């Protein structure tokens, strides 16, 4: 289980670059496998989750900045997502870098600079996002070899299902 | 197989609990909700029982009784139902760690269902449902 190092959290390091990975992938043609071949399947799933979770955090931060949604609920949900992010980072192998190696030397793009994330999402859009995420978790939990990681993914999915329920009621 | 058996024990208790809630609740909404969830847990119970049989295991027997709350007021019944779902969630979490892929999928699905049901009864949402955090 990895830990934060020298005052710079792995979450912060990841946040600076993880969204850039998708940009890097999209900038190329078709499917770009930007994970090195020696990355384990579990780490591949983990990094996909980390990337997705980082983008979700940015979306909630934007929604809160917009101020039009149920702020108390959005704050609680955002905190849960940050907890998920920390737990996923802790699940990375000890010797893993907090960010995947860049294969083409391109500069990372921060999630909060990604134009795709610049829009202010509505509560209904966030609810759809949570429901979609929760729907993917069972398959992801089944895809990993580490049983503890499967539990973590399953539990995150349950929390996201709860978020969808709460946003539906909001 | 032990995680599967534990999940079935939780469902056995949930069916009993919700039949109690349906009968004890004074208001129609709470009673009907309890009845509906008793039916849903019966379906899950049958599914888990069959999963054990498919794997040539022996399903744990239904107990004659399960713990019930002493009070019958709405708040007590709601808290009781939250506890029932948290127990189901905890059992489902262990099922998500099964080596059997089908059981993992089942565990992850049941964990989501239990989490949402607990919220419906007024429970709080943990960042990582199923873990014993409270």
């Amino acid at each position: 289980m990895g830990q934060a190092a020298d005052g710079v959290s792995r979450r912060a390091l990841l946040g600076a670059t993880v969204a850039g990975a998708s940009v890097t992938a999209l900038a190329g043609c078709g499917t770009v496998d930007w994970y090195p071949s020696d990355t384990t399947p579990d780490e591949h799933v983990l990094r996909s989750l980390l990337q997705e979770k980082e983008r979700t955090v940015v979306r909630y931060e934007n929604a809160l900045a917009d101020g039009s949604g149920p702020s108390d609920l959005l704050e609680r949900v955002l905190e849960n997502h940050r907890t998920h992010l920390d737990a996923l980072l802790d699940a990375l192998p000890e010797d893993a870098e907090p960010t995947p190696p860049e294969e083409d030397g391109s500069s990372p793009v921060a999630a909060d600079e990604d134009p795709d994330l610049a829009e202010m999402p509505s509560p209904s859009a966030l609810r759809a996002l949570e429901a979609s995420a929760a729907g993917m978790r069972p398959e992801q939990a089944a895809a990993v070899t580490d049983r503890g990681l499967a539990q973590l993914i399953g539990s995150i999915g349950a929390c996201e299902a709860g978020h969808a329920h709460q946003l539906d009621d909001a | 197989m032990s995680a599967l058996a534990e999940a079935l024990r939780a469902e056995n208790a949930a069916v009993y609990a919700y039949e109690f809630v349906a009968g004890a609740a004074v208001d129609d909404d709470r009673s009907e909700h309890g009845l509906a969830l008793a039916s849903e847990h019966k379906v899950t119970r049958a599914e888990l029982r069959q999963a054990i049989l498919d794997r040539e295991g022996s399903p744990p027997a239904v107990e004659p009784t399960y713990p019930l709350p002493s009070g019958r007021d709405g708040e007590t019944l709601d808290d009781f139902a939250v506890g029932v779902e948290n127990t189901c969630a905890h059992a489902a979490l262990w099922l998500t760690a099964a080596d059997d892929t089908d059981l993992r999928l089942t565990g992850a699905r049941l964990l989501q269902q239990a989490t949402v049901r607990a919220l419906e009864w007024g429970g709080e949402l943990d960042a990582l449902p199923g873990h014993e955090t409270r």
Side-chain angles (χ1 to χ4, degrees), chain A residues 11 14-26 34-35 47-63 78 81-82 85 88 109-119 121 126 129-130 133 137 160:
Chain A
R11 182 204 289 172
L14 180 85
T17 58
V18 73
S22 65
V23 174
T24 302
L26 291 171
W34 44 274
Y35 291 109
R47 292 202 182 277
S48 296
L49 279 164
L50 283 164
Q51 179 186 350
E52 179 193 335
K53 194 60 72 171
E54 178 72 19
R55 296 169 72 86
T56 300
V57 165
V58 172
R59 285 192 168 94
Y60 274 92
E61 288 172 343
N62 288 344
L78 174 58
H81 283 302
R82 286 177 172 150
L85 194 53
L88 291 166
V109 177
D112 56 5
E113 295 174 7
D114 187 337
D116 290 346
L117 301 178
E119 294 178 17
L126 292 171
L129 178 76
E130 298 282 0
R137 301 305 175 232
E160 291 162 340

Side-chain angles (χ1 to χ4, degrees), chain A residues 38-168:
Chain A
D38 59 351
T39 300
T40 65
D42 282 13
E43 189 177 339
H44 184 93
V45 172
L46 255 177
R47 292 202 182 277
S48 296
L49 279 164
L50 283 164
Q51 179 186 350
E52 179 193 335
K53 194 60 72 171
E54 178 72 19
R55 296 169 72 86
T56 300
V57 165
V58 172
R59 285 192 168 94
Y60 274 92
E61 288 172 343
N62 288 344
L64 278 162
D66 184 45
S68 59
S71 58
D72 287 350
L73 173 59
L74 296 182
E75 287 278 7
R76 291 199 303 274
V77 172
L78 174 58
E79 194 52 40
N80 285 341
H81 283 302
R82 286 177 172 150
T83 300
H84 299 162
L85 194 53
D86 287 340
L88 291 166
L89 282 169
D90 282 347
L92 281 171
E94 283 284 358
D95 57 350
E97 295 294 326
T99 56
E102 295 293 333
E103 289 198 329
D104 61 358
S106 60
S107 300
V109 177
D112 56 5
E113 295 174 7
D114 187 337
D116 290 346
L117 301 178
E119 294 178 17
M120 300 301 169
S122 65
S124 63
L126 292 171
R127 194 210 68 79
L129 178 76
E130 298 282 0
S132 173
M136 292 190 298
R137 301 305 175 232
E139 292 286 350
Q140 289 171 326
V144 297
T145 57
D146 184 282
R147 302 197 308 171
L149 179 57
Q151 283 188 312
L152 175 60
I153 294 169
S155 189
I156 286 173
C159 186
E160 291 162 340
H163 292 162
H165 174 79
Q166 290 177 321
L167 288 163
D168 207 25

